[in-house]
Amino acid sequence: MITLIKSATIIDASSSFHNQKKDVLIENGVIKKIEDTIDPKEDYTLVNKDNLHISCGWFDTSVSFGEPGFEERETIENGLKVAAKSGFTAVAVNANSNPVIDTKSSVEFLINKANGSATNLYPIAALTAKSKGIEMAELFDMQQSGAIAFGDYKKPIANDNLMKVSLLYAQNFGGLILSFPKNLAIAGEGIANEGINSTKLGLKGIPALAEELQIARDLFLLEYTGGKLHIPTISTEKSLQLIKEAKKKGLHVTCSVSAHHLILSDDELHGFDSNFKTNPPLRTNQDCKALQKGVKSGVIDIITSDHNPIDIEHKKVEFSEAKDGTIGLESLFGALNSVLNLTDFIENITSKPREIFGIKPTSIAVGETADISFFNPEEKNVFTKDAILSTSKNSAFLNKNLTGKVYGIFSNNQLILNK
């Protein structure tokens, strides 16, 4: 297959063609030419879109699909199609299933289910057996089978010694440990950010302290043990400051933030819409602004959708009873494109996550394997249910104004385009 991409603005800070408009010729999955103009031939497949921009393929490091066990929420097959049409050539899939991904065979199951897909799937295996936080899972065996990191999805490790031992043990094979930032004793039965809005609405609060205390503990342990620690989906200004100070000390710590925590605040809760019930909870406008600055300054390493499909039976219920989580693959680019510089966005969803999770980096250069996302950064639209490709429809960005349109991807010698 020969694919010709016409008049595309290249966004790739590592490339000599950065911010230049070029034609790109791909043959058998490899970039053969990048020139001002390449004449098409009859057997070429053309990609010719309005205001076409391209970058290295996007990588989302926090995605849940449900399968195995929760196929009614999302299957791996459909989830990967959604990811491709949302601009992602790679996703890291959480151990958010039943049973959880905590064995060599379950890691291999995920990888085999994704075989032949345009979007690459990388498993994040559970850190503890059955994600119960009691004993460490077989980390080395799972890494040998293809797991790229280890963490219990949305479940903090309360046992200090277990986290210490995990950080020490993983150093034997360069493993990356994820620690969800939440102190359960402090959070209690809270369901919303503790503050003015939770008080007005009569919702039990989760103080920012619950997140910050857990992060402080993990950073103390990391300083003692060494190793590599990744803190997923931080949500408060103080969390950002703690991680910034740890990086200044030279600790090997990285962190991510979700799109909804960068943009949406707990002001959204006044309608008691369960699509805004997330974990961590939506915080204050001040936190949102601080996190945006954290991305721009480089303290925050990764942006993620934290895509978590929840079926209607567990979302269309009373706010206090609804399951936490929002989908986010389809809306991520359009949501963030209005608050972040395009180059900052691309860096935090291409090169940085690949480096942190040990995935081979990609580049838009002659001779490189084509791994490319297609998009238009300027088209404005309203995100409606018609734009949701996921099986579950629990989006916090429903009916929000977005800026930017995703056209598709080229990956694994497959061209996937939206209609």
Side-chain angles (χ1 to χ4, degrees):
M1 182 175 76
I2 302 176
T3 301
L4 178 58
I5 305 169
K6 293 292 292 181
S7 299
T9 301
I10 298 172
I11 307 297
D12 179 5
S14 68
S15 170
S16 58
F17 300 108
H18 181 51
N19 274 332
Q20 296 181 39
K21 186 174 285 190
K22 298 287 183 180
D23 287 1
V24 180
L25 185 68
I26 302 169
E27 186 173 346
N28 296 324
V30 177
I31 299 173
K32 293 295 185 180
K33 293 181 181 178
I34 301 177
E35 297 176 2
D36 290 338
T37 303
I38 300 173
D39 294 329
K41 296 183 180 179
E42 284 187 10
D43 59 340
Y44 287 6
T45 300
L46 288 182
V47 179
N48 194 0
K49 301 285 187 179
D50 291 339
N51 193 30
L52 178 59
H53 286 58
I54 64 174
S55 72
C56 297
W58 301 349
F59 177 26
D60 193 329
T61 61
S62 182
V63 170
S64 299
F65 287 148
E67 188 178 3
F70 300 120
E71 286 83 358
E72 72 278 7
R73 299 178 185 176
E74 190 64 277
T75 63
I76 292 170
E77 180 182 7
N78 190 64
L80 289 172
K81 288 178 181 177
V82 172
K85 291 192 173 184
S86 301
F88 296 92
T89 64
V91 292
V93 175
N94 297 302
N96 185 21
S97 56
N98 184 24
V100 299
I101 308 305
D102 66 346
T103 64
K104 176 180 178 180
S105 60
S106 57
V107 168
E108 292 169 350
F109 167 81
L110 281 186
I111 292 172
N112 290 334
K113 287 287 288 188
N115 189 37
S117 298
T119 296
N120 295 300
L121 183 154
Y122 298 102
I124 296 176
L127 177 61
T128 67
K130 303 185 187 303
S131 287
K132 290 187 174 180
I134 297 173
E135 59 182 357
M136 194 166 52
E138 296 291 340
L139 307 189
F140 177 72
D141 285 349
M142 291 191 290
Q143 187 181 62
Q144 293 297 105
S145 295
I148 59 169
F150 309 96
D152 293 346
Y153 183 67
K154 302 298 184 185
K155 295 179 180 178
I157 303 299
N159 186 318
D160 305 332
N161 191 58
L162 179 57
M163 178 54 66
K164 183 197 77 173
V165 171
S166 299
L167 286 166
L168 287 168
Y169 175 70
Q171 291 178 58
N172 293 310
F173 49 91
L176 177 64
I177 300 297
L178 276 61
S179 179
F180 183 63
K182 186 176 186 179
N183 182 297
L184 292 175
I186 298 292
E189 297 180 356
I191 57 174
N193 178 58
E194 183 182 84
I196 294 173
N197 283 317
S198 64
T199 303
K200 284 181 177 179
L201 298 171
L203 299 174
K204 292 181 179 179
I206 301 176
L209 177 66
E211 176 172 309
E212 296 151 8
L213 194 61
Q214 191 80 354
I215 288 176
R217 182 209 69 169
D218 287 342
L219 293 176
F220 270 114
L221 289 173
L222 181 66
E223 189 170 9
Y224 178 80
T225 62
K228 295 188 293 184
L229 175 68
H230 179 70
I231 302 173
T233 58
I234 67 170
S235 67
T236 79
E237 183 176 14
K238 183 65 180 294
S239 295
L240 188 70
Q241 293 170 356
L242 290 168
I243 293 167
K244 181 178 180 180
E245 290 302 314
K247 287 187 172 189
K248 284 182 179 179
K249 288 182 179 179
L251 300 186
H252 199 147
V253 59
T254 55
C255 65
S256 69
V257 65
S258 72
H260 44 276
H261 286 109
L262 281 171
I263 295 173
L264 304 175
S265 75
D266 59 354
D267 290 342
E268 303 284 353
L269 301 184
H270 284 266
F272 293 99
D273 185 341
S274 61
N275 285 332
F276 298 115
K277 190 182 181 194
T278 63
N279 187 17
L282 298 180
R283 302 291 187 182
T284 66
N285 281 305
Q286 181 177 333
D287 290 311
C288 290
K289 291 175 182 177
L291 293 171
Q292 289 172 21
K293 289 180 181 178
V295 172
K296 295 169 185 175
S297 68
V299 176
I300 293 175
D301 304 277
I302 297 173
I303 298 168
T304 176
S305 68
D306 201 20
H307 182 83
N308 188 9
I310 304 294
D311 54 280
I312 193 169
E313 286 82 3
H314 291 97
K315 267 296 184 183
K316 281 290 183 179
V317 293
E318 187 178 340
F319 188 89
S320 61
E321 300 300 319
K323 284 190 175 293
D324 301 321
T326 173
I327 58 172
L329 285 170
E330 299 100 311
S331 57
L332 184 134
F333 175 58
L336 291 177
N337 197 33
S338 59
V339 297
L340 294 178
N341 174 280
L342 184 58
T343 301
D344 287 338
F345 168 79
I346 295 299
E347 183 182 12
N348 281 268
I349 207 159
T350 57
S351 57
K352 279 189 171 183
R354 281 183 168 83
E355 179 184 354
I356 290 165
F357 281 81
I359 307 300
K360 182 182 177 182
T362 62
S363 179
I364 299 177
V366 173
E368 291 286 331
T369 299
D371 188 86
I372 297 172
S373 298
F374 307 123
F375 55 96
N376 176 349
E378 295 177 3
E379 183 168 325
K380 297 184 182 298
N381 58 88
V382 177
F383 189 68
T384 65
K385 272 195 175 180
D386 292 338
I388 296 178
L389 307 172
S390 300
T391 301
S392 297
K393 310 301 179 185
N394 56 304
S395 173
F397 288 99
L398 266 177
N399 302 317
K400 299 290 186 185
N401 294 315
L402 307 185
T403 303
K405 179 179 181 179
V406 174
Y407 290 130
I409 64 169
F410 189 101
S411 176
N412 290 328
N413 201 21
Q414 298 178 56
L415 177 64
I416 307 292
L417 292 177
N418 291 302
K419 293 179 182 179

